[in-house]
Amino acid sequence: MVKYFLGQSVLRSSWDQVFAAFWQRYPNPYSKHVLTEDIVHREVTPDQKLLSRRLLTKTNRMPRWAERLFPANVAHSVYILEDSVVDPQNQTMTTFTWNINHARLMVVEERCVYRVNSDNSGWTEIRREAWVSSSLFGVSRAVQEFGLARFKSNVTKTMKGFEYILAKLQGEAPSKTLVETAKEAKEKAKETALAATEKAKDLASKAATKQQQQQQQQYV
Amino acid sequence: GRLAPNMKREYDQCFNRWFAKKFLKGDGSGDPCTDLFKPIKEKEIPIEGLEFMGHGKEKPENSS
């Protein structure tokens, strides 16, 4: 998730004055948070553009709650790189600025385009875009996903537990224990088997008697 | 790397003069201050290998 910013500003000075001032603005009364500024690379391209890379260090001012959550970040200044392209032929300047440390906490990227103001050629307009992102958004999403996965797993366990206890409780007289019921069932089965054996025996003997009687009748 | 404080002052003066009087006016005679630009080798701040203007990064026009 990225927070996006778009803004437009106007400086009531000509483009060449603004571009020259760009290199001379530190220090100023409003830049107390800017500790150092240094050019680390500069070159003029074959097509007459000036490429520069400037390294800035700034204080890392955070709200109290952030200082408590991220104590390791408190002690370190922020290192920022500002890349720029000055194109005097087209009277434009483009800058791209971003922090190169504290990146795991937050990255702020800014892209500016300076050009002659469309309404007044003696003025300069700045189109400023910024993107604020934090990998902490990813952490909070991961925590949510893990929480949901664990919850779903627990729901499955809940339902299985319910089914288990319901099966256990069904088909059983309320006052008896499972062990007593099992014993009773065993006894009942025994009785039934015995009765069946007796009955079979009885039937067999009856049949035998009838046969004897039939044989006797045949010799008269 | 960066310039030592006194060298920085000299370099900045040279650059600002050339920038406003020559470069912005279309004078293609090249940067005369390169001789004054002698940065100190510095290991603390890792700025090697970072793409100029952040090229190669996808930059959405607008995302919330």
Side-chain angles (χ1 to χ4, degrees):
Chain A
M1 205 171 110
V2 183
K3 276 290 188 194
Y4 177 74
F5 169 91
L6 173 63
Q8 194 111 331
S9 330
V10 177
L11 290 168
R12 289 167 204 218
S13 298
S14 60
W15 67 275
D16 54 318
Q17 287 177 321
V18 172
F19 292 11
F22 183 71
W23 303 112
Q24 302 177 65
R25 58 202 176 118
Y26 298 124
N28 69 70
Y30 304 95
S31 71
K32 294 205 161 59
H33 60 291
V34 181
L35 302 170
T36 68
E37 69 119 352
D38 291 277
I39 298 293
V40 294
H41 180 79
R42 199 164 247 157
E43 71 180 83
V44 180
T45 65
D47 58 344
Q48 292 305 300
K49 292 193 179 131
L50 179 74
L51 311 184
S52 307
R53 173 164 277 184
R54 186 155 57 164
L55 174 67
L56 302 154
T57 65
K58 298 189 186 178
T59 58
N60 183 29
R61 299 144 296 152
M62 294 192 283
R64 197 84 181 85
W65 62 262
E67 289 189 342
R68 260 176 273 166
L69 277 174
F70 313 110
N73 293 77
V74 174
H76 301 275
S77 319
V78 189
Y79 295 140
I80 291 146
L81 279 186
E82 173 208 82
D83 287 348
S84 58
V85 180
V86 181
D87 182 352
Q89 265 123 49
N90 293 310
Q91 297 167 359
T92 64
M93 176 166 72
T94 306
T95 69
F96 187 74
T97 308
W98 77 105
N99 60 298
I100 58 173
N101 67 341
H102 297 279
R104 248 174 295 203
L105 174 47
M106 169 173 23
V107 174
V108 180
E109 294 162 295
E110 177 205 64
R111 190 173 180 277
C112 292
V113 180
Y114 295 67
R115 62 170 91 250
V116 176
N117 181 230
S118 37
D119 298 325
N120 187 328
S121 61
W123 293 355
T124 309
E125 65 189 34
I126 307 168
R127 179 194 152 92
R128 187 184 313 266
E129 289 178 287
W131 297 267
V132 181
S133 57
S134 174
S135 66
L136 293 178
F137 283 127
V139 172
S140 90
R141 269 223 4 243
V143 171
Q144 276 183 302
E145 306 232 5
F146 142 72
L148 184 62
R150 186 171 62 179
F151 176 79
K152 283 187 188 172
S153 161
N154 286 347
V155 169
T156 304
K157 291 183 193 175
T158 297
M159 297 315 292
K160 287 212 158 118
F162 251 121
E163 284 163 13
Y164 170 81
I165 193 64
L166 284 167
K168 217 171 114 164
L169 294 171
Q170 276 164 13
E172 182 189 322
S175 56
K176 291 201 179 119
T177 68
L178 197 64
V179 175
E180 284 173 340
T181 315
K183 214 171 167 195
E184 230 182 37
K186 226 176 165 176
E187 292 297 337
K188 219 171 175 180
K190 244 191 189 161
E191 281 170 13
T192 312
L194 211 67
T197 314
E198 289 302 310
K199 188 148 194 199
K201 257 193 190 161
D202 187 44
L203 282 169
S205 76
K206 280 208 175 112
T209 313
K210 195 143 192 205
Q211 213 183 32
Q212 264 180 349
Q213 283 174 349
Q214 277 174 342
Q215 276 178 342
Q216 275 170 357
Q217 272 177 353
Q218 263 172 8
Y219 284 100
V220 159
Chain B
R2 303 191 258 186
L3 295 175
N6 56 330
M7 295 199 70
K8 182 183 188 310
R9 220 173 300 124
E10 246 189 272
Y11 172 77
D12 283 348
Q13 271 172 15
C14 175
F15 171 80
N16 289 326
R17 214 178 304 127
W18 167 79
F19 185 77
K21 295 207 172 7
K22 295 275 171 76
F23 180 73
L24 289 185
K25 297 202 205 289
D27 185 329
S29 54
D31 181 358
C33 310
T34 50
D35 288 342
L36 294 168
F37 190 72
K38 286 180 177 67
I40 320 158
K41 263 292 175 210
E42 197 166 33
K43 282 177 240 155
E44 319 150 11
I45 304 160
I47 60 171
E48 298 308 312
L50 291 170
E51 292 258 20
F52 188 70
M53 298 297 275
H55 276 313
K57 284 192 191 175
E58 267 182 30
K59 278 266 75 78
E61 254 293 312
N62 191 354
S63 54
S64 53

Coordinates of all heavy atoms in Angstrom, one line a residue, chain B residues 5-62:
Chain B
P5 N 35.3 20.6 4.0 CA 34.5 21.8 4.1 C 35.2 23.0 3.3 O 34.4 23.7 2.6 CB 34.5 22.1 5.6 CG 34.6 20.8 6.3 CD 35.4 19.9 5.3
N6 N 36.4 23.2 3.4 CA 37.0 24.3 2.7 C 37.0 24.1 1.2 O 36.8 25.0 0.4 CB 38.5 24.6 3.2 CG 39.3 23.4 3.1 OD1 38.9 22.3 3.2 ND2 40.6 23.6 2.9
M7 N 37.2 22.9 0.8 CA 37.2 22.5 -0.6 C 35.8 22.7 -1.2 O 35.6 23.1 -2.3 CB 37.7 21.1 -0.9 CG 39.1 20.9 -0.5 SD 39.8 19.4 -1.3 CE 39.8 19.9 -3.0
K8 N 34.8 22.4 -0.3 CA 33.4 22.4 -0.7 C 33.1 23.9 -1.0 O 32.4 24.2 -2.0 CB 32.5 21.9 0.4 CG 31.0 21.9 0.1 CD 30.2 21.4 1.3 CE 28.8 21.2 1.1 NZ 28.1 22.2 0.4
R9 N 33.5 24.8 -0.2 CA 33.2 26.2 -0.4 C 33.8 26.7 -1.7 O 33.1 27.3 -2.5 CB 33.9 27.0 0.8 CG 33.0 28.2 1.3 CD 33.6 28.9 2.5 NE 33.7 28.0 3.6 CZ 34.9 27.8 4.2 NH1 36.0 28.4 3.8 NH2 34.9 26.9 5.3
E10 N 35.0 26.4 -2.0 CA 35.6 26.8 -3.3 C 34.9 26.2 -4.4 O 34.7 26.9 -5.4 CB 37.1 26.2 -3.3 CG 38.1 27.3 -3.3 CD 39.5 26.8 -3.5 OE1 40.2 26.4 -2.5 OE2 39.9 26.7 -4.7
Y11 N 34.6 24.9 -4.3 CA 33.9 24.2 -5.4 C 32.6 24.8 -5.7 O 32.2 25.1 -6.8 CB 33.8 22.7 -5.2 CG 32.9 22.0 -6.2 CD1 33.4 21.7 -7.5 CD2 31.6 21.7 -5.9 CE1 32.6 21.1 -8.4 CE2 30.7 21.2 -6.9 CZ 31.2 20.9 -8.1 OH 30.4 20.3 -9.1
D12 N 31.8 25.0 -4.6 CA 30.4 25.6 -4.7 C 30.5 27.0 -5.4 O 29.7 27.3 -6.3 CB 29.8 25.7 -3.4 CG 29.2 24.4 -2.9 OD1 29.2 23.4 -3.7 OD2 28.9 24.3 -1.7
Q13 N 31.4 27.8 -5.0 CA 31.6 29.1 -5.6 C 31.8 29.0 -7.1 O 31.2 29.7 -7.9 CB 32.7 29.9 -4.9 CG 32.3 30.7 -3.7 CD 33.4 31.3 -3.0 OE1 34.6 31.4 -3.5 NE2 33.2 31.8 -1.8
C14 N 32.8 28.2 -7.5 CA 33.1 28.0 -8.9 C 31.9 27.5 -9.6 O 31.6 28.0 -10.7 CB 34.3 26.9 -9.0 SG 34.7 26.5 -10.7
F15 N 31.2 26.5 -9.1 CA 30.1 25.9 -9.8 C 29.0 26.9 -10.0 O 28.4 27.1 -11.1 CB 29.5 24.7 -9.0 CG 28.2 24.2 -9.5 CD1 28.2 23.4 -10.7 CD2 27.0 24.6 -9.0 CE1 27.0 22.9 -11.2 CE2 25.8 24.1 -9.5 CZ 25.8 23.3 -10.6
N16 N 28.6 27.6 -8.9 CA 27.5 28.6 -9.0 C 27.7 29.6 -10.1 O 26.8 30.0 -10.8 CB 27.2 29.2 -7.6 CG 26.6 28.2 -6.7 OD1 25.8 27.3 -7.1 ND2 26.9 28.3 -5.4
R17 N 29.0 30.1 -10.2 CA 29.3 31.1 -11.1 C 29.1 30.5 -12.5 O 28.5 31.1 -13.4 CB 30.8 31.5 -10.9 CG 31.1 33.0 -11.2 CD 32.5 33.4 -11.0 NE 32.9 33.1 -9.6 CZ 34.0 32.4 -9.3 NH1 34.8 31.9 -10.2 NH2 34.3 32.2 -8.0
W18 N 29.7 29.4 -12.8 CA 29.7 28.7 -14.1 C 28.2 28.4 -14.5 O 27.8 28.6 -15.6 CB 30.5 27.5 -14.1 CG 30.3 26.6 -15.3 CD1 30.8 26.8 -16.6 CD2 29.5 25.4 -15.3 NE1 30.3 25.8 -17.4 CE2 29.5 24.9 -16.7 CE3 28.8 24.7 -14.4 CZ2 28.9 23.8 -17.0 CZ3 28.1 23.6 -14.8 CH2 28.2 23.1 -16.1
F19 N 27.5 27.9 -13.5 CA 26.1 27.4 -13.8 C 25.2 28.6 -14.3 O 24.5 28.4 -15.3 CB 25.5 26.8 -12.5 CG 24.2 26.2 -12.7 CD1 24.0 25.0 -13.2 CD2 23.0 26.9 -12.2 CE1 22.8 24.4 -13.4 CE2 21.8 26.3 -12.3 CZ 21.6 25.0 -12.9
A20 N 25.2 29.7 -13.6 CA 24.4 30.8 -13.9 C 24.9 31.6 -15.2 O 24.1 31.9 -16.0 CB 24.2 31.8 -12.8
K21 N 26.2 31.8 -15.3 CA 26.7 32.6 -16.3 C 27.0 31.9 -17.6 O 26.9 32.5 -18.7 CB 28.0 33.3 -15.9 CG 27.8 34.3 -14.7 CD 28.8 35.4 -14.7 CE 28.5 36.5 -13.7 NZ 27.4 36.4 -12.7
K22 N 27.3 30.6 -17.5 CA 27.6 29.8 -18.7 C 26.6 28.8 -19.1 O 26.0 28.8 -20.1 CB 29.0 29.2 -18.6 CG 30.2 30.2 -18.5 CD 30.6 30.6 -19.8 CE 31.6 31.7 -19.8 NZ 33.0 31.3 -19.4
F23 N 26.4 27.8 -18.2 CA 25.6 26.7 -18.5 C 24.2 27.0 -18.8 O 23.7 26.5 -19.9 CB 25.7 25.7 -17.3 CG 24.9 24.4 -17.6 CD1 25.3 23.4 -18.4 CD2 23.6 24.2 -16.9 CE1 24.6 22.3 -18.7 CE2 22.9 23.1 -17.2 CZ 23.3 22.1 -18.1
L24 N 23.5 27.8 -18.0 CA 22.1 28.1 -18.3 C 21.9 28.9 -19.5 O 20.9 28.9 -20.1 CB 21.5 28.8 -17.1 CG 21.3 28.0 -15.8 CD1 20.5 28.8 -14.8 CD2 20.5 26.7 -16.1
K25 N 23.0 29.7 -19.9 CA 22.9 30.5 -21.1 C 23.2 29.7 -22.4 O 23.3 30.3 -23.5 CB 23.8 31.7 -21.0 CG 23.4 32.6 -19.9 CD 23.9 34.0 -20.0 CE 24.0 34.8 -18.7 NZ 22.8 35.2 -18.1
G26 N 23.5 28.4 -22.2 CA 23.7 27.6 -23.4 C 25.1 27.5 -23.8 O 25.4 26.9 -24.9
D27 N 26.0 27.9 -23.0 CA 27.4 27.8 -23.3 C 27.9 26.4 -23.0 O 27.9 25.9 -21.9 CB 28.2 28.8 -22.4 CG 29.7 28.8 -22.8 OD1 30.2 27.8 -23.2 OD2 30.3 29.9 -22.6
G28 N 28.2 25.7 -24.1 CA 28.6 24.3 -24.0 C 30.1 24.1 -23.8 O 30.6 23.0 -24.1
S29 N 30.7 25.0 -23.1 CA 32.2 24.9 -23.0 C 32.6 24.0 -21.9 O 33.8 23.9 -21.6 CB 32.9 26.2 -22.9 OG 32.3 26.9 -21.8
G30 N 31.7 23.3 -21.2 CA 32.1 22.3 -20.3 C 32.3 22.9 -18.9 O 32.6 24.1 -18.7
D31 N 32.3 22.0 -17.9 CA 32.4 22.3 -16.5 C 33.8 22.6 -16.1 O 34.6 21.6 -16.0 CB 31.7 21.2 -15.7 CG 31.7 21.4 -14.2 OD1 32.2 22.5 -13.7 OD2 31.2 20.6 -13.5
P32 N 34.2 23.8 -15.7 CA 35.6 24.1 -15.4 C 35.9 23.7 -13.9 O 37.1 23.9 -13.5 CB 35.7 25.6 -15.6 CG 34.3 26.1 -15.3 CD 33.4 25.0 -15.6
C33 N 34.9 23.3 -13.2 CA 35.2 23.1 -11.7 C 35.5 21.7 -11.4 O 35.7 21.4 -10.2 CB 33.9 23.5 -10.9 SG 33.3 25.2 -11.4
T34 N 35.6 20.8 -12.4 CA 35.8 19.4 -12.1 C 37.2 19.2 -11.4 O 37.3 18.3 -10.5 CB 35.8 18.6 -13.4 OG1 36.7 19.2 -14.3 CG2 34.4 18.4 -13.9
D35 N 38.1 20.1 -11.6 CA 39.4 19.9 -10.9 C 39.3 20.2 -9.4 O 40.0 19.6 -8.6 CB 40.4 21.0 -11.5 CG 40.9 20.6 -12.9 OD1 40.7 19.4 -13.2 OD2 41.5 21.4 -13.6
L36 N 38.3 21.0 -9.1 CA 38.1 21.3 -7.7 C 37.3 20.2 -7.0 O 37.1 20.3 -5.7 CB 37.4 22.7 -7.5 CG 38.2 23.9 -7.9 CD1 37.3 25.1 -8.0 CD2 39.4 24.1 -7.0
F37 N 36.7 19.3 -7.8 CA 35.8 18.3 -7.2 C 36.6 17.1 -6.9 O 36.8 16.2 -7.7 CB 34.7 18.0 -8.2 CG 33.6 17.2 -7.5 CD1 32.8 17.7 -6.6 CD2 33.5 15.8 -7.9 CE1 31.8 16.9 -6.0 CE2 32.5 15.0 -7.3 CZ 31.6 15.6 -6.3
K38 N 37.2 17.0 -5.6 CA 38.0 15.9 -5.2 C 37.3 15.3 -3.9 O 37.8 15.6 -2.8 CB 39.4 16.3 -4.9 CG 40.2 16.6 -6.2 CD 41.6 17.0 -5.9 CE 42.4 17.2 -7.1 NZ 42.0 18.4 -7.9
P39 N 36.3 14.4 -4.1 CA 35.6 13.9 -2.9 C 36.5 12.9 -2.1 O 37.3 12.3 -2.7 CB 34.4 13.2 -3.5 CG 34.8 12.9 -4.9 CD 35.8 13.9 -5.4
I40 N 36.2 12.9 -0.8 CA 36.9 12.0 0.1 C 36.2 10.6 0.0 O 35.0 10.6 -0.1 CB 36.8 12.4 1.5 CG1 36.9 14.0 1.6 CG2 37.8 11.7 2.4 CD1 36.3 14.5 2.9
K41 N 37.0 9.6 -0.1 CA 36.4 8.2 -0.1 C 35.7 8.0 1.3 O 36.3 8.1 2.3 CB 37.5 7.2 -0.3 CG 37.6 6.7 -1.7 CD 36.4 5.9 -2.3 CE 36.6 5.6 -3.7 NZ 35.3 5.6 -4.4
E42 N 34.5 7.6 1.2 CA 33.7 7.4 2.4 C 33.0 6.1 2.4 O 32.3 5.7 1.4 CB 32.7 8.5 2.5 CG 32.1 8.8 3.8 CD 31.4 10.1 3.8 OE1 30.9 10.5 2.7 OE2 31.4 10.8 4.8
K43 N 33.1 5.3 3.5 CA 32.4 4.0 3.5 C 31.1 4.0 4.3 O 30.4 3.1 4.2 CB 33.4 3.0 4.1 CG 34.4 2.5 3.1 CD 35.4 1.5 3.7 CE 36.8 2.1 3.6 NZ 37.7 1.5 4.6
E44 N 30.9 5.0 5.1 CA 29.8 5.0 6.1 C 28.4 4.9 5.3 O 27.5 4.3 5.8 CB 29.8 6.1 7.0 CG 31.1 6.5 7.6 CD 31.2 8.0 7.9 OE1 30.2 8.7 7.8 OE2 32.3 8.5 8.1
I45 N 28.4 5.8 4.3 CA 27.0 5.9 3.7 C 27.0 5.1 2.4 O 27.7 5.4 1.4 CB 26.7 7.4 3.4 CG1 26.8 8.2 4.7 CG2 25.3 7.5 2.8 CD1 27.0 9.6 4.5
P46 N 26.2 4.1 2.3 CA 26.1 3.2 1.1 C 25.4 3.8 0.0 O 24.2 3.7 -0.1 CB 25.4 2.0 1.6 CG 24.5 2.5 2.7 CD 25.1 3.7 3.3
I47 N 26.1 4.6 -0.9 CA 25.4 5.1 -2.1 C 25.9 4.5 -3.4 O 25.6 5.1 -4.4 CB 25.5 6.7 -2.1 CG1 27.0 7.1 -2.2 CG2 24.9 7.3 -0.9 CD1 27.2 8.6 -2.4
E48 N 26.6 3.4 -3.3 CA 27.0 2.8 -4.5 C 25.9 2.0 -5.1 O 25.1 1.4 -4.4 CB 28.2 1.9 -4.2 CG 29.5 2.6 -3.7 CD 29.9 3.8 -4.5 OE1 30.0 3.6 -5.8 OE2 30.1 4.9 -4.0
G49 N 25.9 1.9 -6.5 CA 25.0 1.0 -7.2 C 23.6 1.5 -7.1 O 22.7 0.7 -7.4
L50 N 23.3 2.7 -6.8 CA 21.9 3.2 -6.8 C 21.6 3.9 -8.1 O 22.3 4.8 -8.5 CB 21.6 4.1 -5.6 CG 21.7 3.4 -4.2 CD1 21.7 4.5 -3.1 CD2 20.5 2.5 -4.1
E51 N 20.6 3.4 -8.8 CA 20.2 3.9 -10.1 C 19.9 5.4 -10.1 O 19.2 5.8 -9.3 CB 19.0 3.1 -10.7 CG 19.3 1.7 -10.9 CD 19.4 1.4 -12.4 OE1 19.7 2.3 -13.2 OE2 19.3 0.2 -12.8
F52 N 20.5 6.1 -11.1 CA 20.2 7.5 -11.3 C 18.8 7.8 -11.5 O 18.2 7.1 -12.4 CB 21.1 8.1 -12.4 CG 21.0 9.6 -12.5 CD1 21.6 10.4 -11.5 CD2 20.4 10.2 -13.5 CE1 21.6 11.7 -11.5 CE2 20.3 11.6 -13.6 CZ 20.9 12.4 -12.6
M53 N 18.2 8.7 -10.8 CA 16.8 9.1 -10.9 C 15.9 7.9 -10.5 O 14.7 7.9 -10.9 CB 16.4 9.6 -12.3 CG 17.1 10.8 -12.7 SD 16.7 12.3 -11.7 CE 15.2 12.8 -12.4
G54 N 16.5 6.9 -9.8 CA 15.7 5.8 -9.4 C 15.1 4.9 -10.6 O 14.1 4.3 -10.4
H55 N 15.8 5.0 -11.7 CA 15.3 4.3 -12.9 C 15.2 2.8 -12.7 O 16.1 2.3 -12.0 CB 16.2 4.6 -14.1 CG 15.8 5.9 -14.8 ND1 14.5 6.2 -15.1 CD2 16.5 6.9 -15.2 CE1 14.4 7.4 -15.6 NE2 15.7 7.9 -15.7
G56 N 14.2 2.2 -13.2 CA 14.0 0.8 -13.0 C 13.0 0.5 -12.0 O 12.4 -0.6 -11.8
K57 N 12.6 1.6 -11.2 CA 11.5 1.4 -10.2 C 10.2 1.7 -10.9 O 10.1 2.7 -11.6 CB 11.7 2.5 -9.1 CG 12.8 2.2 -8.2 CD 12.7 3.1 -7.0 CE 13.9 3.0 -6.1 NZ 13.9 3.9 -5.0
E58 N 9.3 0.9 -10.6 CA 7.9 1.1 -11.1 C 7.3 2.2 -10.3 O 7.2 2.1 -9.1 CB 7.1 -0.2 -10.9 CG 7.0 -1.1 -12.2 CD 6.1 -2.2 -11.9 OE1 5.2 -2.1 -11.1 OE2 6.4 -3.3 -12.5
K59 N 6.8 3.2 -11.0 CA 6.2 4.3 -10.2 C 4.8 4.5 -10.6 O 4.5 5.0 -11.7 CB 7.0 5.6 -10.3 CG 8.2 5.6 -9.4 CD 8.0 6.3 -8.1 CE 7.2 5.6 -7.1 NZ 7.9 4.5 -6.3
P60 N 3.8 4.0 -9.8 CA 2.4 4.1 -10.2 C 2.0 5.6 -10.2 O 2.4 6.3 -9.4 CB 1.7 3.4 -9.1 CG 2.6 3.4 -8.0 CD 4.0 3.4 -8.5
E61 N 1.2 6.0 -11.2 CA 0.7 7.3 -11.2 C 0.0 7.7 -9.9 O 0.1 8.7 -9.3 CB -0.2 7.5 -12.4 CG 0.4 8.3 -13.6 CD 0.7 9.8 -13.2 OE1 -0.2 10.5 -12.7 OE2 1.8 10.2 -13.5
N62 N -0.9 6.7 -9.6 CA -1.7 6.9 -8.4 C -2.1 5.6 -7.8 O -2.7 4.8 -8.5 CB -3.0 7.7 -8.8 CG -3.7 8.2 -7.6 OD1 -3.4 7.9 -6.5 ND2 -4.8 9.0 -7.9

